[in-house]
Amino acid sequence: MPEKYVYLFSEGESNMKELLGGKGANLAEMTRIGLKIPPGFTITTKACNLYRENKGKFPEGLWEEVKKNINLLEEQTGKGFGNPEKPLLVSVRSGAAHSMPGMMDTILNLGLNKDTLDGLATSTGNRRFALDCFRRLIQMFSDVVLNIELELFENQLKAIKKKREIELDVELDESALEELVETYLNIVEEHTGEPFPSEPDGQLEMAMKAVFDSWDNPRAKTYRELNDIAEELGTAVNVQAMVFGNTGSNSSTGVAFTRNPGSGTKEYYGEYLTNAQGEDVVAGIRTPKPVIEMESEMPKQFEELKKVYDTLETHYKDMQDFEFTIEEGNLYILQTRAGKRTAQAAIKIAVDMVDERLIDKKEAILMIDPHQIARLLHRRLDPTESVRPFGSGLPASPGAAVGKAVFYADDAVKWNDRGEDVILVREETRPDDIHGFFASQGILTARGGKTSHAAVVARGMGKPCVSGCEDLVIDTNARSFKIGEVEICEGDCITIDGTEGTVMEGEIATIAPELSAEAERVLKWADEIRTLGVWANASTPEGAKQARKFGAEGIGLCRTERMFNAPDRLPIVLDMILSDTEEDRKNALDRLMPFQREDFIEIFNIMGELPVVIRLLDIPLHEFLPSIEELNMDVQNLTRFVDWLKSMKVLSGAVNMVGLPDETQSVIHRLSKETEMLHEQDIAQKVLERKLTMLSKVRKMVEVNPMLGHRGVRLGITYPEIYRMQVRALYEAAATFIKEGKNIEPQIMIPQVCTTDELKWIYEQILEEKAMVETSQDIEIPIIFGTMIEVVRSCMRAGRIAEQVDFFSFGTNDLTQAVFSFSREDAENTFLPLYNERMILKHNPFEILDHKGVGRLMAITVRWGRKVKPELKIGICGEHGGEPSSIGFVHTIGIDYVSCSPYRVPVARFAAAQAALKKPEELSLIWGTY
Amino acid sequence: MPEKYVYLFSEGESNMKELLGGKGANLAEMTRIGLKIPPGFTITTKACNLYRENKGKFPEGLWEEVKKNINLLEEQTGKGFGNPEKPLLVSVRSGAAHSMPGMMDTILNLGLNKDTLDGLATSTGNRRFALDCFRRLIQMFSDVVLNIELELFENQLKAIKKKREIELDVELDESALEELVETYLNIVEEHTGEPFPSEPDGQLEMAMKAVFDSWDNPRAKTYRELNDIAEELGTAVNVQAMVFGNTGSNSSTGVAFTRNPGSGTKEYYGEYLTNAQGEDVVAGIRTPKPVIEMESEMPKQFEELKKVYDTLETHYKDMQDFEFTIEEGNLYILQTRAGKRTAQAAIKIAVDMVDERLIDKKEAILMIDPHQIARLLHRRLDPTESVRPFGSGLPASPGAAVGKAVFYADDAVKWNDRGEDVILVREETRPDDIHGFFASQGILTARGGKTSHAAVVARGMGKPCVSGCEDLVIDTNARSFKIGEVEICEGDCITIDGTEGTVMEGEIATIAPELSAEAERVLKWADEIRTLGVWANASTPEGAKQARKFGAEGIGLCRTERMFNAPDRLPIVLDMILSDTEEDRKNALDRLMPFQREDFIEIFNIMGELPVVIRLLDIPLHEFLPSIEELNMDVQNLTRFVDWLKSMKVLSGAVNMVGLPDETQSVIHRLSKETEMLHEQDIAQKVLERKLTMLSKVRKMVEVNPMLGHRGVRLGITYPEIYRMQVRALYEAAATFIKEGKNIEPQIMIPQVCTTDELKWIYEQILEEKAMVETSQDIEIPIIFGTMIEVVRSCMRAGRIAEQVDFFSFGTNDLTQAVFSFSREDAENTFLPLYNERMILKHNPFEILDHKGVGRLMAITVRWGRKVKPELKIGICGEHGGEPSSIGFVHTIGIDYVSCSPYRVPVARFAAAQAALKKPEELSLIWGTY
């Protein structure tokens, strides 16, 4: 039996997408369930692929089958293809299994020529309408089939409108259109050397080939590569009888949604235009009316339409976005697809459909895009606070943020690495500020609108942004800014509200976004379904509170360096770093210990008996110190100031700094905020000396590649007293709970490990501290010991390392840097955007986990680690832990839990549930040939 | 049958090392082949292990067996253990399969007590001798068995010498020794609460236990860990009858080598002392005589000794280092082992033994330590050059070196990265200069002797060093140094000769070390045996010449950035970098192209049809620019100079710079060397402007982690014109040879690749350039295309990447950095030395390839790459390519060739042969559980 290449809509159904394409399968499905679809047929993807294999020849029998089906269409419509009296017109559309930009889309009105034009004019009694149809056919056909520049036609259209002194296309009368059609036909003949194809069969054959060929156009190829769509799928071609909504007042055209796509409410939502075509709706010439008005205007058709709403939803079990045309009172459905919706609507629709027993909970989960959950989660100002903005700009990216003002992206990174929350304040931002965005809580700019760089990037990252705050004046020398009379210096705290576009002094309490009742219900269902644990990265009591509120099952990463940075501690930390002897260093650490203990107590208080993973100090010590550049500036200006104080013989008392350069005055002004009485000569001298000491220390400590430097466990081994202090603080904190009978198990995690001996060495130190606390407090403390897996060598040694620990936690940020040999800060400012643009890398691997490289290494690590210790707990605590596709991947390779920022916890809970429901990515992809 | 724990020397042989230990097996072997060995027996390692399992109890039957064997000794010697008339004295020594520091070594004279002392005195007629033996026994036994501090005994010895006003131990007379023995016995009783064990059996039992216990002492354990020696091997104990070389003029003791260990000549080499003990030879009290003098002094014994020379060499088939004692005319051999020898000797001995048909070529290869080959390969001054040193110091590390003077380790690295050869000139060096050593051709210091830091480190690295050049005065401000009247500024070329300790101005031709005829023969044998290819890293014609001379089979890494740095090119390179438009950049590149083409032509001329792998530009562009710090200094001082020129109204003419600060004068002095007529105001202004442009460019280009930055293929993709210029130069160079009918196949290698799409992208560019050259020259150029594997992700994607290329070349330097997340420069200055010291890492992984981490990743990569493309050629071109143990490893995992510095090529040829001969490291170690 010969291959069947053509399916009438009445022969297909929705599960034939691979063969008929998405559009064809849906048209067939709607036909099958009894909706009124203009008749037509689909030419299969198989035919397309044979055509491509044959280098542009139809497979044998295809054309005959098409002709036969055209005959069937003629029978169904009572019209004739090329029949000059009752001409059958058809549309030709591509339709692959996945919708794909770049492919040929649509040609309407195929079958028109000079002869059938007359027939159409006569049969509709509307010659102008017929001419307009023909004009459109010539234009579309020339563009997509004949490859003639569209502009040539547009220019003629403009010329004729000018000549006739009219503005809109619809004002063209019959004679104008007659003239235009002649002109168009001439253009075609000039450019192709042949007249416009007048035979309907010829038109159809050429159109089919154009659709097939468009599968291989560069934009479509690129899109497929980007989206992992197989080359060999091919596209189908849909040929459908035309219907017209513009044949008179008994015709109309419209777009409908089965529920409100903004709120999710179940209602008859949509718009329509009487006596119009789809294109007219898009062109916005007349304002469409709400569908509900049809009730009075076309009550019979509205009743029919209501049934369509119900039929489509009941059938597709999702909110549908469909197009319809009423031709002479007859309602036709032209297309349907799942409707786009807001995050709120998505959740409401899913929950309502479960309540309506239309779908079950699993289907509800799969219906929501996890990124939509993220959009619900912006912080906002605490409404109980009284807010007095001192500046305002554009609400460029929603949410409220609090942080210390910094003026350079580099500073934002540096301060953030030290654990400070910062707001990046800039005249305007540029692509090379991008690392500053990552490091900031929010962005404030003096210039730029809602589509400025700052606004676009901030929205992309979900960070609050106020842009175009025009009163804002930055003094980069003094490192301060003014809005009106208010001056804010570097390091001063400010609050911005990107939802309102306002700027406030100081720290204003913000509150976490509250999830709607529907969202909470969906997340509960997600929790029932998912097998992956969801923990949070939280280093402060506030973070811990948020984490619990959003349903985190533990803290997977508590960064202890954040605790070193509070204003009451940083001076002690500096003392520690500036120490020349181990004894001095220990003294400073002893002063630091009670602070750290209190932090741990607070966090345990919040987390109760949930697991809390404490990561010992990771960042290089020099990151706590100012930069060489800054210290140089301070030293120069302080020296000048001290000399000036001496020359003025000022020992004490207020000074006005007359005669000192502006720069010096700025620096002294800033330093005065840190040190009182700086104007006293001996105090100024002391401050100068300390700055000199710091400068010399920074000079010694500065590293060529700090990312690969003296940090993490390497610090723990060279300065064991630091880790010991942290462990003591942790166990003393734990002791207070253990004494109360609480089942608390603090987990210790070591960063940057590359070999088992590092772990052994540190473990011995921990045991000693543990024993001391146990003895002094007369209790027993359980020990849970783990390692970050963020150094490639630790992956290679996973089996041996597993012997030493209770858990692994993948640090995918650093691991990604090491696997790619990309420095994130540098890459995102230099080549990475170009790499993404040219699709050398499809994604930014710091945002979406690189499955094939980093992911493969992780899969190997999990396998080797579990081979030695099957009970090994494995988590991931990089930023990827809150990114849906990354969550899907780590679920597949057998990770136990993800840990992410508290605000991503709901996203992660949700994405984890989807991961559990979806067919797991084939492990053979990971373990296969490559 | 009960386990046999004790073997008489006559019962064992050399292949029983595991059971009897190395020493025991050798003593047995010598006994077996008829040499006269004082009788004795060995207690097995098995006994040791049972003792350790029993927690310090001898296994059943052991002691009885020892006693039985003591009886046999008594029979053989005619003496009695504890017999007061004819006492048998024995030595007790440990002896594991591998010699191991930290273990108990030796106790002599066991069996002595007050009673047997008298017997010994009587039977030898020498009471002083007997007393001295007893004193030594007490001292050794107390130290190693009873754990009494040796110092206590030494103090008493000193006291008695002081009291008797004598200087040397040998001057102690009988009465002094009587007194000393009493004092010693009292010390023992005081410290142990018990008298010194007088029973010989007791002494023996305690000594045996001390040997067994010493297996588990911390130093021995650490040593085993360091050298991968299994814990469960255990140690044997050797008990042997004492013989004495100090009983009179018919006795003597000596050490002999079967060949001259300095030259390798076959002769009777060795020294002896009449009437002496081994210890006396070591103490250097009397000067020993050459063995050859025995011919006249003790002709009979000399004849016997000559037979021992022959017997040992014939038997062991290696040069032996043995100890002998002649007691009353009777020659005894006490120990033999393979003798240490110089590099020259090692080679001569191996070659001679092959000629003597004592060994075959394979055995000869295995007899030589590859590190010895390296020692033969120091460059020296061309003897045809007339050399006039202007300074001299100590010849601290041999070889001659030429380079530009730099004064800071950081500068050495920076200049070297740009392809400059430098000599690091320092007052003295410190550990944090180490990266400068790597980057320099040689080191010159003003202070420090032959064991100074500079000397030791330089020798370790095989770099020439002149230390302690006391006339050398460095002016760090001016960046210059003076010796006498000669001033050398930074960047000026100097030559040092570390063999002579001299310093010369300018570049003096050096010549490659010439290998001796013997060395050449050995290397030829190595070539016959090895399967691994040996190529060289060479980026200049000189390097290529050396490479061929040393037998390289190709160039595995030609670093093209080195070609950018020659003085005639750097200004063009700077123009290229400072370009603001692609067009300007292309113009500069067009000017650069002919230089690069000439370089390639020269190299091809030298290499003929051997493969040459050209690596396209790797280093970040900012490395061609000076540092921000340097530019800042230049700008400041140039500004000052220009202002001064203006204020002086000097437009032209010589200026004396009166009134300008020293620093400014220095800078202008330096810059004047680059730019003539700098004293003309408008020229100075232009130089200043260029420096300002450079400063602003460097500021923009500077990276947080340059190692992970905008470099390698990332540059090739962001600035494709650079790679295209390089490819054009290469193919145009190749064309000239292809036209002559030469079979030349230039290979192109891309650095820093992380994904296949980078390779595809670059490959297309290469094909375009290739086509252009082919068309314009009317030829066909073959293309061989490969990638560095130095980014971890490329390992993970090895299969896919293999599809795109003809070859892989592991860049193990960068790969090691990425796998460990160590920045080499930073790590070697901070934590890495401590890591090595604490044995958290056994080696510096930048020197010796880390088999378990980096190596494992390489093994995976090779496997995955070859799975997809079995014919894939795989090389390694990191520094490890010239390191013997690394070569052994890469041979095992199936690498095709190593590429190393030309001077390491002979080492690599040799190590590759050894790798082929040795039992391959078990791949299960790599693919096993971990």
Side-chain angles (χ1 to χ4, degrees), chain A residues 674-701:
Chain A
E674 290 170 19
T675 313
E676 283 176 48
M677 314 287 282
L678 186 61
H679 53 277
E680 291 195 6
Q681 195 176 299
D682 53 348
I683 288 180
Q685 183 69 40
K686 260 185 209 148
V687 173
L688 173 59
E689 275 156 24
R690 190 169 164 93
K691 293 277 177 189
L692 278 168
T693 311
M694 283 162 81
L695 182 58
S696 109
K697 203 87 183 181
V698 177
R699 281 230 169 88
K700 262 186 224 146
M701 295 174 92

Side-chain angles (χ1 to χ4, degrees), chain B residues 477-488:
Chain B
N477 254 340
R479 297 200 171 210
S480 67
F481 76 85
K482 273 192 173 182
I483 297 179
E485 287 307 295
V486 181
E487 181 177 8
I488 303 286

Side-chain angles (χ1 to χ4, degrees), chain A residues 225 410 432 629 636 699-700 702-711 713-715 717-718 720 752 754-755 757-758 760-761 790-800 803 814 817-827 830-831 834-835 838-842 850 852-854 856-857 860 864 867-868 926-930, chain B residues 225 410 629 636 699-700 702-711 713-715 717-718 720 752 754-755 757-758 760-761 790-800 803 814 817-827 830-831 834-835 838-842 850-854 856-857 860 864 867-868 926-930:
Chain A
E225 197 175 326
D410 290 344
D432 55 10
E629 202 186 341
Q636 274 175 28
R699 281 230 169 88
K700 262 186 224 146
V702 82
E703 292 179 302
V704 184
N705 298 293
M707 148 79 199
L708 310 175
H710 190 187
R711 54 180 296 209
V713 68
R714 303 162 203 160
L715 273 178
I717 285 172
T718 45
Q752 303 294 336
C754 76
T755 179
D757 280 328
E758 289 170 325
K760 285 186 199 166
W761 204 93
E790 55 187 337
V791 169
V792 174
R793 195 173 190 278
S794 68
C795 301
M796 288 295 113
R797 309 296 299 145
R800 292 297 300 274
E803 291 173 344
D814 277 8
Q817 298 198 72
V819 167
F820 278 88
S821 283
F822 288 176
S823 162
R824 177 170 190 170
E825 289 167 85
D826 298 319
T830 49
F831 59 88
L834 187 76
Y835 265 50
R838 295 215 175 125
M839 278 190 292
I840 289 169
L841 291 175
K842 290 176 190 169
D850 163 50
K852 294 177 179 175
V854 180
R856 190 176 200 193
L857 183 62
I860 291 172
W864 287 347
K867 197 164 177 184
V868 170
I926 303 166
W927 294 109
T929 313
Y930 303 132
Chain B
E225 198 176 327
D410 288 345
E629 202 184 343
Q636 275 174 27
R699 281 231 169 88
K700 262 185 221 147
V702 80
E703 293 180 301
V704 184
N705 298 293
M707 149 78 199
L708 309 176
H710 190 188
R711 54 179 297 207
V713 68
R714 300 159 205 162
L715 274 179
I717 285 172
T718 45
Q752 302 295 335
C754 77
T755 179
D757 281 328
E758 288 170 324
K760 284 188 201 166
W761 205 92
E790 55 188 337
V791 170
V792 174
R793 194 172 188 278
S794 67
C795 301
M796 288 295 113
R797 307 297 299 146
R800 290 297 300 273
E803 291 174 345
D814 277 8
Q817 297 198 74
V819 168
F820 278 88
S821 283
F822 288 175
S823 163
R824 178 171 189 172
E825 291 166 84
D826 298 319
T830 49
F831 59 88
L834 186 77
Y835 264 50
R838 294 214 176 126
M839 279 190 293
I840 289 168
L841 291 174
K842 289 175 189 169
D850 163 50
H851 301 193
K852 294 178 179 174
V854 180
R856 190 177 201 197
L857 182 62
I860 291 173
W864 286 348
K867 198 164 178 183
V868 170
I926 302 165
W927 294 108
T929 313
Y930 302 132

Side-chain angles (χ1 to χ4, degrees), chain B residues 640-653:
Chain B
R640 200 175 285 148
F641 180 64
V642 169
D643 288 348
W644 177 84
L645 284 175
K646 281 182 193 161
S647 73
M648 302 291 281
K649 300 202 197 313
V650 177
L651 290 179
S652 172

